[in-house]
Amino acid sequence: GSHGGGLLGGDVVEVDVHVGAGATLALSTQSSTKVYRTRGPASEQRVRASVARGGLLLSVPDALVPFAESDFEQSVAVALEPGASAVLVDWLGAGRVANGERWAFRKLWSRTELHLVNTAEVSHGNSSSDALARATEPEAGWAHDDRLAELVESVCLDRPLERVEDTSSGARQFGFDLGNSAKTGFGSFATVVLAGPRVERAVEAFGAAALRL
């Protein structure tokens, strides 16, 4: 599947999927997802997925490439039944580096949530889809402990309005330094979430690699 090759201001892409018991689903992209500059509303992308017992979801898009002056908001919410597994990748590039654009977007918000459906819910006939709907409905708020996600990964990069015209300092304007130099700065960063029994070997491999650093 593909979320598309590029997003314009005002675009809203919504993807809802369910992975059945014992099934495997891979969500990817044709190539990097470009987010074009906008003077109006933000580009938005929302992914909601539920995974039944024994299922595996692989959400592995190529890097997001935010153009200068782009505005992007993304949310990924996944609910796993007991015995379900998921691999979730959130990969952000610096932008059109060959054009001299490094971390020059106006705003980028990306949020990934992982919800674990407990055995009691499943035994009472509730599926991961039901749990995800309850957890992510707008009126739910964050006051109810049973609706809180077990894991939340959030990237919030927002340029203050008074600094939008100053592109000389790159991502330092966000409060931390990703580097504006092609030689010393970061060209991308990514978060990888691994959960469930079907990715145990990958978890072990990542752990071993981290110990070697």
Side-chain angles (χ1 to χ4, degrees), residues 1 15-20 22-28 47-51 54-60 85-88 198:
V15 180
D16 287 272
V17 300
H18 174 70
V19 182
T24 299
L25 174 66
L27 290 178
S28 187
V47 179
R48 288 160 43 103
S50 57
V51 188
L56 170 62
L57 170 66
L58 302 164
S59 179
V60 288
S85 305
V87 176
L88 311 175
R198 291 183 60 181

Side-chain angles (χ1 to χ4, degrees), residues 78-86 113-119 121-122 128 131-132 134-135 146 148-151 195-196:
V78 179
L80 302 180
E81 291 185 10
S85 305
E113 299 180 3
L114 186 67
H115 300 262
L116 302 182
V117 183
N118 60 50
T119 304
E121 286 184 282
V122 176
S128 52
L132 185 63
R134 290 196 305 276
D146 61 338
L148 290 176
E150 276 68 25
L151 179 144

Side-chain angles (χ1 to χ4, degrees), residues 11 21 26 34-35 88 94 98 111-113 125 135 145 153 162 187 208:
D11 282 352
K34 289 80 174 174
V35 184
L88 311 175
R111 180 184 178 94
T112 300
E113 299 180 3
D145 289 343
E153 180 264 342
E162 65 272 15

